[in-house]
Amino acid sequence: MRRFVSGLLRTTSQKRSSLSQHPSLRFFSSFSTSPLSNSDSPSSSSSSSSSSSAAMPSPVTLKTINPKVLECEYAVRGEIVTLAQQLQQELQEKPGSLPFDEILYCNIGNPQSLGQQPITFFREVLALCDHPALLDKSETQGLFREFYVKSVHSKMEKMVDVGVCIPWIADAIERAWQILDQIPGRATGAYSHSQGIKGLRDTIAAGIEARDGFPSNPNDIFLTDGASPAVHMMMQLLTRSEKDGILCPIPQYPLYSASIVLHGGTLVPYYLDEATGWGLEVSELQKQLEDAKSKGITVRALVVINPGNPTGQVLSKDNQQAIVEFCKNEGLVLLADEVYQENVYVPDKEFHSFKKISRSMGYGEEDISVVSFQSVSKGYYGECGKRGGYMEVTGFGADVREQIYKVASVNLCSNISGQILASLVMSPPKVGDESYESYSMEKDGILLSLARRAKALEDALNSLEGVTCNKAEGAMYLFPRIHLPEKAIKAAEAAKTAPDAFYARRLLNATGIVVVPGSGFGQVPGTWHFRCTILPQEDKIPAIVSRLTDFHKGFMDEFRG
């Protein structure tokens, strides 16, 4: 970019004319051919600016920006959230002006914003890596800190607070040294390899192998700023035109619909079956695949979110095997969103990665292409703001891998703190490590609390008139169906909004509770839902249930007919 700018400054008007004919520099043709120095004259600048400001329209309007940007939507941070932020500002400026005293953000999987504490070991290692000078201080070994963790009393089956006073324990220091030794110059503020620091990729690959029981190659790992950039990279790779389609679940996480639109592809929907707990039927996949083919769409990949977002289901092993077989037979890339792999709340279900399933079926790299996405934002860690994640890319030829690397290199590298956290997530303290007991207590306390919160909200929703809610087997959300009175639907139509968005807006204005309308995720036509996180802290759940119950009763009374 520096060479480009300096070259431009040296360019003569004749040279600019020839450059404008170059296909990659056509935007030069609109430049004035008058010397740049003329526009630097104070007198010419002031006179021209006053006349042009009145005469020239803005060069950027909704009509002139990329239409794909206008077309894409991301409901998780959409209209309802914008209104919530305005109401929050009003509460700050005029306390007591609204019928509630706080905004309860149940719209997004952002655990620490709602009070979840970070995992101590992860933050200790990260702090030491970010400020290595601490490692050279003799006082570091003697530092103490107090923190509180929650655990479940094995007999009383209730939460108790356990005060624990521990030193900055030796294994955190040792892990920090190990990580820093893998970073050139021990510089966490420097760029890394575009795939991520090799030593950290080694650690992640070892963690994947320990989880799955099958080998993982560090060269298959691409570290990214959360899972979202990895999804964008794959959509960019697979989408050549609107004739390329991606099979995507409905309901789905809006990242997928947005990225498909932005990269010029076509979303091919397949519907999850709400009546069977948001089941994924291969017959539905086949039906939608054939329908897309009949319309001239070449389906390139299948997106599967497991555990589900926004639906919270956990796929069975048999179901996963059928999905793998379908992708193999149809030549589809399997894009496996597995960012909620630690969030499973029911005893009869467990997480299996799609790579593990495919290898256990005897399929190797030459049989099926599988891309797995993981993030430090979810699970029990909830480090959303640190922006760490990765994708494991398998089943692609070396020539295609080069192109993936090229796309990754355009962004230089992901942030180093996120890379470190991704390695810690996939290689946490183990039995026998000094930090294991406190780490395990924090992890279990968070996950058990999430399970209780999910059950409390599920029961509350199912007690409401006209509301049905499937069990949250995993992830961080509930996606209840709301059977709205006809009068409410007509009121929504009059307000020119979707009925579930109408409900969500009324809920927010009355209670301060922020949920996302189901229309933002996709749903069977004629049905209405909303997504609600299970993330507010346990002491907030009763207030949420009470506010929601009172609102819903009043809403149904108002519109019952």
Side-chain angles (χ1 to χ4, degrees):
M1 178 57 79
R2 294 193 195 96
R3 291 198 302 271
F4 174 79
V5 173
S6 61
L8 174 58
L9 292 173
R10 293 193 301 269
T11 300
T12 64
S13 60
Q14 181 180 1
K15 213 166 187 180
R16 281 199 303 274
S17 177
S18 65
L19 276 172
S20 69
Q21 306 308 312
H22 192 285
S24 65
L25 298 172
R26 275 186 286 236
F27 55 86
F28 276 109
S29 61
S30 63
F31 280 14
S32 165
T33 55
S34 59
L36 289 174
S37 58
N38 286 357
S39 64
D40 290 336
S41 163
S43 59
S44 67
S45 173
S46 59
S47 61
S48 63
S49 63
S50 60
S51 60
S52 63
S53 62
M56 292 183 64
S58 170
V60 181
T61 69
L62 291 181
K63 291 182 178 180
T64 62
I65 66 173
N66 186 339
K68 294 183 178 64
V69 174
L70 288 174
E71 186 182 349
C72 87
E73 295 182 359
Y74 188 68
V76 173
R77 295 203 175 193
E79 176 189 354
I80 301 297
V81 180
T82 300
L83 174 59
Q85 292 165 345
Q86 293 169 355
L87 293 175
Q88 186 168 31
Q89 183 70 25
E90 185 176 338
L91 279 175
Q92 291 171 350
E93 295 173 355
K94 301 176 183 177
S97 61
L98 297 173
F100 44 85
D101 56 6
E102 66 176 328
I103 301 293
L104 294 168
Y105 286 98
C106 300
N107 62 298
I108 193 168
N110 192 15
Q112 292 185 25
S113 73
L114 293 169
Q116 181 173 307
Q117 295 302 300
I119 298 298
T120 304
F121 177 81
F122 293 172
R123 285 298 185 91
E124 286 184 338
V125 174
L126 195 60
L128 292 168
C129 288
D130 272 341
H131 191 42
L134 288 171
L135 292 164
D136 297 324
K137 295 182 181 293
S138 58
E139 308 94 284
T140 298
Q141 291 282 353
L143 283 176
F144 282 76
R145 59 172 56 175
E146 289 188 1
F147 69 97
Y148 282 88
V149 294
K150 290 183 176 180
S151 68
V152 174
H153 191 291
S154 58
K155 293 182 180 179
M156 301 296 290
E157 295 186 350
K158 66 180 182 180
M159 294 299 291
V160 295
D161 286 333
V162 183
V164 183
C165 184
I166 63 170
W168 199 319
I169 41 188
D171 59 346
I173 296 171
E174 181 182 356
R175 181 71 71 91
W177 275 120
Q178 290 173 357
I179 290 171
L180 287 168
D181 285 344
Q182 295 164 350
I183 301 174
R186 296 178 179 169
T188 58
Y191 290 136
S192 75
H193 187 283
S194 292
Q195 273 187 251
I197 295 163
K198 175 60 166 60
L200 300 182
R201 286 187 281 124
D202 290 340
T203 299
I204 290 169
I208 293 171
E209 185 169 337
R211 181 195 68 192
D212 292 346
F214 293 95
S216 176
N217 185 343
N219 292 325
D220 292 339
I221 307 295
F222 287 76
L223 288 162
T224 52
D225 290 322
S228 299
V231 171
H232 277 288
M233 285 171 65
M234 293 313 302
M235 295 305 176
Q236 193 171 23
L237 181 83
L238 295 171
T239 305
R240 299 163 296 185
S241 74
E242 69 278 359
K243 291 296 184 181
D244 283 330
I246 307 293
L247 272 164
C248 197
I250 300 296
Q252 52 96 31
Y253 177 44
L255 165 66
Y256 291 98
S257 54
S259 61
I260 291 167
V261 168
L262 284 172
H263 295 295
T266 297
L267 186 149
V268 178
Y270 68 88
Y271 288 91
L272 302 177
D273 185 2
E274 186 169 10
T276 60
W278 301 112
L280 195 167
E281 301 294 336
V282 172
S283 58
E284 169 70 5
L285 297 178
Q286 195 70 53
K287 172 187 170 186
Q288 297 300 339
L289 177 67
E290 296 305 323
D291 183 60
K293 286 180 179 178
S294 72
K295 296 172 182 174
I297 302 295
T298 300
V299 178
R300 307 298 309 284
L302 168 68
V303 172
V304 181
I305 307 174
N306 180 48
N309 176 10
T311 47
Q313 85 283 12
V314 178
L315 297 178
S316 70
K317 193 173 179 180
D318 289 346
N319 199 181
Q320 288 184 268
Q321 289 173 340
I323 293 164
V324 167
E325 196 71 42
F326 171 78
C327 287
K328 177 183 178 295
N329 293 340
E330 299 295 341
L332 302 180
V333 178
L334 177 48
L335 301 176
D337 183 331
E338 299 176 336
V339 303
Y340 297 100
Q341 58 191 259
E342 297 282 359
N343 299 101
V344 178
Y345 309 127
V346 290
D348 57 332
K349 294 284 184 75
E350 60 181 312
F351 169 79
H352 300 284
S353 77
F354 271 101
K355 181 189 161 194
K356 173 184 175 181
I357 294 293
S358 63
R359 298 295 181 265
S360 67
M361 295 171 69
Y363 297 143
E365 296 256 353
E366 67 284 357
D367 299 308
I368 185 171
S369 299
V370 180
V371 182
S372 304
F373 303 107
Q374 167 65 318
S375 171
V376 306
S377 300
K378 309 306 177 185
Y380 55 89
Y381 13 93
E383 294 279 12
C384 302
K386 298 299 184 182
R387 307 312 300 136
Y390 68 81
M391 63 178 176
E392 184 184 25
V393 178
T394 61
F396 291 81
D399 53 348
V400 175
R401 291 281 299 274
E402 277 186 32
Q403 300 306 308
I404 299 173
Y405 177 76
K406 179 175 70 176
V407 173
S409 67
V410 169
N411 294 319
L412 297 176
C413 70
S414 59
N415 80 87
I416 305 303
S417 294
Q419 292 189 36
I420 293 170
L421 273 168
S423 75
L424 293 171
V425 161
M426 295 307 293
S427 182
K430 298 174 176 59
V431 175
D433 292 347
E434 287 181 83
S435 293
Y436 178 76
E437 185 176 348
S438 58
Y439 156 78
S440 181
M441 203 181 304
E442 288 179 290
K443 173 186 174 181
D444 292 346
I446 290 168
L447 291 175
L448 288 167
S449 176
L450 285 171
R452 287 194 298 274
R453 285 177 257 175
K455 185 66 168 66
L457 287 169
E458 174 197 326
D459 289 346
L461 288 164
N462 278 318
S463 71
L464 301 179
E465 177 188 356
V467 177
T468 55
C469 183
N470 282 324
K471 180 190 292 281
E473 298 177 334
M476 295 177 171
Y477 316 100
L478 294 164
F479 198 65
R481 180 176 178 181
I482 46 177
H483 300 262
L484 296 172
E486 188 62 29
K487 187 177 176 182
I489 294 172
K490 288 181 178 178
E493 291 172 353
K496 297 182 179 179
T497 189
D500 47 14
F502 179 76
Y503 180 93
R505 177 182 278 269
R506 292 282 297 260
L507 174 65
L508 171 60
N509 283 323
T511 68
I513 298 172
V514 189
V515 298
V516 187
S519 46
F521 300 89
Q523 53 199 346
V524 172
T527 67
W528 312 108
H529 301 77
F530 63 82
R531 189 186 78 165
C532 177
T533 74
I534 61 172
L535 293 175
Q537 292 299 293
E538 279 195 87
D539 61 354
K540 300 280 189 185
I541 298 297
I544 291 173
V545 169
S546 176
R547 291 190 202 181
L548 177 60
T549 300
D550 291 345
F551 163 78
H552 186 79
K553 182 179 184 303
F555 182 92
M556 297 300 284
D557 287 345
E558 179 181 352
F559 292 103
R560 185 171 283 108

